Amino acid sequence: IVLTGGDDRLWKTWGFPDGNILLTGEGHTDWLSGCCFRPSGTQLVTSSGDTTVRIWDLSRRGCILTLRGHSRAVRACFWHSCGDFVASASMDGTSKIWDVNSERCRYTLRGHKESVNSIEFLPFSSTALTCSADKTLSLWDVRTVSRL
């Protein structure tokens, strides 16, 4: 199964080798910039130009949570390997770590001078990597909200 998102504001799961569309999700009001499966495979996260991050439940075929807090388009999203946290990177120059269980932003990472274009957690750690339009990469300890 492959997951995609695009300018049509939809995410789609595709089966291979046939390339059939298995599921389609709609709800964002602007382009999708990122999408990622939860490690358990039961949910996915999407990021969008509409400034939101959304959690989708595949069995319910719908959005179960909309995370708001960025002031500009969200460029990327990523699940932590434990499945309890989602990271987002935004054109507002910040990244956020969202606690999916409490449905709130746990930490905001500040320090880049321009848009943050990508974010990923290092596997099985509390370290996140961000990449910015300011031509820098940063490693963060998300427990202390500090650069490494």
Side-chain angles (χ1 to χ4, degrees):
I1 296 176
V2 173
L3 175 62
T4 62
D7 287 344
D8 60 1
R9 301 179 291 211
L10 302 174
W11 60 263
K12 296 175 185 174
T13 59
W14 305 76
F16 280 92
D18 297 331
N20 299 328
I21 296 174
L22 304 174
L23 292 173
T24 300
E26 60 182 272
H28 281 290
T29 58
D30 209 337
W31 45 272
L32 267 69
S33 55
C35 46
C36 183
F37 283 110
R38 188 175 192 158
S40 65
T42 59
Q43 296 176 336
L44 59 95
V45 62
T46 55
S47 54
S48 172
D50 66 11
T51 74
T52 67
V53 175
R54 291 181 183 238
I55 308 294
W56 306 81
D57 187 288
L58 296 175
S59 64
R60 295 186 204 169
R61 297 183 180 216
C63 177
I64 58 170
L65 179 60
T66 301
L67 302 168
R68 292 179 173 86
H70 285 293
S71 61
R72 295 190 60 201
V74 183
R75 301 280 299 174
C77 56
F78 198 80
W79 281 100
H80 187 273
S81 54
C82 73
D84 293 332
F85 300 96
V86 165
S88 60
S90 173
M91 292 179 72
D92 65 13
T94 69
S95 296
K96 293 187 179 288
I97 307 300
W98 304 91
D99 183 328
V100 177
N101 297 318
S102 68
E103 302 181 358
R104 67 180 183 88
C105 177
R106 176 71 65 95
Y107 307 109
T108 299
L109 310 177
R110 292 181 174 88
H112 286 293
K113 294 182 173 86
E114 294 185 33
S115 172
V116 184
N117 296 331
S118 67
I119 188 165
E120 290 194 25
F121 287 108
L122 277 62
F124 308 104
S125 77
S126 61
T127 304
L129 172 68
T130 56
C131 175
S132 172
D134 65 15
K135 300 180 183 174
T136 65
L137 300 171
S138 291
L139 284 172
W140 304 84
D141 182 335
V142 297
R143 295 171 300 181
T144 61
V145 194
S146 61
R147 286 188 188 185
L148 298 176

